[in-house]
């Protein structure tokens, strides 16, 4: 799929009508848009990738020291193979090769940071750049105070993603990340970097991010070879709060063959837990909504998020 791209300059000058119409068409018809010419984006992504690789090379037992205590509701820190999604046959499949490191952006007392590697500095610098750029995009799309989403009350949640190389080509799960929608408002995504035996390689033909266009039926690969372009997708809370005007983006990540690993970074836009909405959206039929709504049919962001975590958190087989 051809990616629609607008420039950072056009985003800063929202009176530039043609660019805005282009942006709106991209997000409404496809569910993804690229932003080019963001100052310092590429250098910050490079610095982050270096730190993420450094961290990923630490021994497992060291990385596990930074695991969140999910039992008390923590999600910050490192984890491997913690999510599952339904495959095409309707069976839950664990993303067993997907490692994550979560932290709030900007920094927050709840964040855990490794002592062995300075992951914190490049993670936060890249995260804040994406967070601030995306707010311009949210504004341009009308996702702001006008729909009850004050930008001061938005939370950025960063996620380091390290997709481990596939040692067994017959592995049952063809995806590094199974098909799903993000549950938040919006998601910023940097282009992925690939490595074989420690050397950077191009994205393999078969691998990478695929999305199902909002107005399409089949998953299509996103051409994201230009490392200077920041991507944005729509999350389910963005769909809820816009009454389905903007639809969430269904996406997946296909594995590469031949011992290749993949690194990327996602920045999720969350509302604050007490943001209350009462939308007219098909997502109100979803059990996450139906089971957590208040008597008058409204729901808080916190409940929506908690129900989403519960659904997609892999359960240990009995
Ligand atoms: Fe996602």
């Amino acid at each position: 799929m051809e990616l629609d791209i607008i420039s950072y300059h056009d985003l800063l000058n929202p009176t530039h009508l043609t660019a805005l119409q282009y942006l709106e068409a991209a997000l409404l018809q496809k569910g993804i848009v690229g932003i080019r010419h963001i100052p310092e984006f590429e250098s910050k992504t490079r610095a982050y990738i270096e730190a993420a690789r450094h961290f990923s090379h630490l021994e497992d037992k060291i990385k596990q020291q930074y695991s969140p205590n999910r039992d008390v509701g923590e999600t910050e820190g490192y984890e491997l193979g913690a999510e599952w999604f339904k495959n095409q046959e309707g069976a839950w499949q664990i993303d067993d090769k997907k490692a994550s490191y979560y932290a709030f952006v900007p920094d927050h007392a709840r964040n855990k940071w490794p002592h062995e590697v300075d992951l914190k500095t490049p993670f936060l610098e890249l995260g804040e750049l994406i967070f601030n750029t995306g707010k311009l995009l949210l504004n341009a799309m009308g996702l702001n105070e006008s729909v009850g989403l004050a930008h001061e009350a938005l939370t950025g949640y960063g996620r380091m993603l390290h997709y481990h190389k596939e040692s067994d080509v017959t592995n049952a799960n063809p995806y590094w990340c199974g098909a799903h929608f993000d549950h938040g408002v919006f998601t910023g995504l940097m282009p992925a970097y690939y490595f074989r035996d420690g050397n950077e390689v191009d994205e393999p033909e078969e691998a990478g991010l695929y999305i199902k266009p909002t107005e399409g039926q089949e998953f299509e690969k996103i051409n994201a070879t230009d490392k200077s372009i920041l991507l944005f997708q729509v999350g389910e809370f963005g769909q809820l709060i816009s009454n389905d005007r903007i639809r969430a983006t269904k996406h997946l990540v296909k594995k590469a063959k031949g011992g290749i690993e993949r690194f990327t970074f996602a920045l999720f836009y969350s509302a604050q837990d007490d943001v209350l909405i009462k939308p007219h959206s098909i997502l109100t039929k979803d059990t996450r909504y139906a089971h957590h709504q208040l008597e008058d049919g409204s729901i808080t962001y916190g409940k929506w998020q908690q129900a989403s975590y519960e659904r997609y958190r892999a359960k240990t087989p009995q």
Side-chain angles (χ1 to χ4, degrees), residues 83 85 98 159 161 163 177-178 180-183 187 189 209 233 249 251-253 266 268:
E83 277 183 316
F85 298 107
K98 181 173 71 181
R159 182 180 195 179
L161 282 152
Y163 299 94
C177 182
H180 68 283
F181 300 95
D182 293 343
H183 70 262
T187 305
L189 207 55
L209 176 68
Q233 305 179 147
T249 317
H251 56 284
L252 57 83
V253 181
F268 304 105

Side-chain angles (χ1 to χ4, degrees), residues 1 6 12 33 39 85 110 127 173 204 248 281 312:
M1 177 197 291
I6 64 167
L12 285 176
V33 72
F85 298 107
R110 272 173 57 178
N173 189 351
S281 162
Y312 298 115

Side-chain angles (χ1 to χ4, degrees), residues 178-196:
H180 68 283
F181 300 95
D182 293 343
H183 70 262
V185 180
F186 239 58
T187 305
L189 207 55
M190 64 165 272
Y193 282 75
Y194 294 81
F195 297 87
R196 182 195 278 125

Side-chain angles (χ1 to χ4, degrees), residues 40-218:
E40 296 187 86
F41 177 68
E42 204 171 345
S43 59
K44 287 187 176 174
T45 54
R46 290 262 171 199
Y48 155 77
I49 288 290
E50 213 158 285
R53 291 180 68 210
H54 196 162
F55 176 79
S56 75
H57 288 145
L58 298 173
E59 280 180 52
D60 282 343
K61 69 169 193 285
I62 295 177
K63 289 189 276 193
Q64 295 295 350
Q65 288 174 3
Y66 303 107
S67 296
N69 184 355
R70 286 273 186 170
D71 296 338
V72 297
E74 275 181 21
T75 47
E76 295 72 58
Y78 171 79
E79 62 186 16
L80 171 66
E83 277 183 316
W84 65 3
F85 298 107
K86 272 190 179 167
N87 65 13
Q88 278 166 342
E89 289 76 44
W92 291 101
Q93 206 156 34
I94 296 176
D95 291 339
D96 57 343
K97 297 286 183 189
K98 181 173 71 181
S100 305
Y101 203 109
Y102 293 98
F104 287 99
V105 173
D107 202 12
H108 189 279
R110 272 173 57 178
N111 286 346
K112 295 173 192 243
W113 295 110
H115 305 299
E116 293 79 2
V117 181
D118 181 16
L119 182 61
K120 177 180 172 179
T121 307
F123 187 114
L124 290 173
E125 284 194 2
L126 176 62
E128 285 179 47
L129 182 63
I130 298 176
F131 192 38
N132 293 331
T133 305
K135 284 182 183 175
L136 300 170
L137 200 72
L138 289 171
N139 233 346
M141 294 298 292
L143 293 175
N144 49 26
E145 294 77 5
S146 65
V147 291
L149 197 67
H151 283 195
E152 308 80 66
L154 278 174
T155 304
Y157 207 48
R159 182 180 195 179
M160 179 199 101
L161 282 152
H162 173 212
Y163 299 94
H164 293 200
K165 64 185 174 195
E166 186 58 273
S167 46
D168 175 5
V169 288
T170 61
N171 187 289
N173 189 351
Y175 305 129
W176 263 322
C177 182
H180 68 283
F181 300 95
D182 293 343
H183 70 262
V185 180
F186 239 58
T187 305
L189 207 55
M190 64 165 272
Y193 282 75
Y194 294 81
F195 297 87
R196 182 195 278 125
D197 300 327
N199 299 311
E200 190 179 329
V201 293
D202 290 340
E203 179 171 87
E205 187 82 18
E206 74 280 7
L209 176 68
Y210 285 66
I211 70 160
K212 192 183 272 189
T214 314
E215 294 184 353
Q217 296 301 318
E218 303 291 327

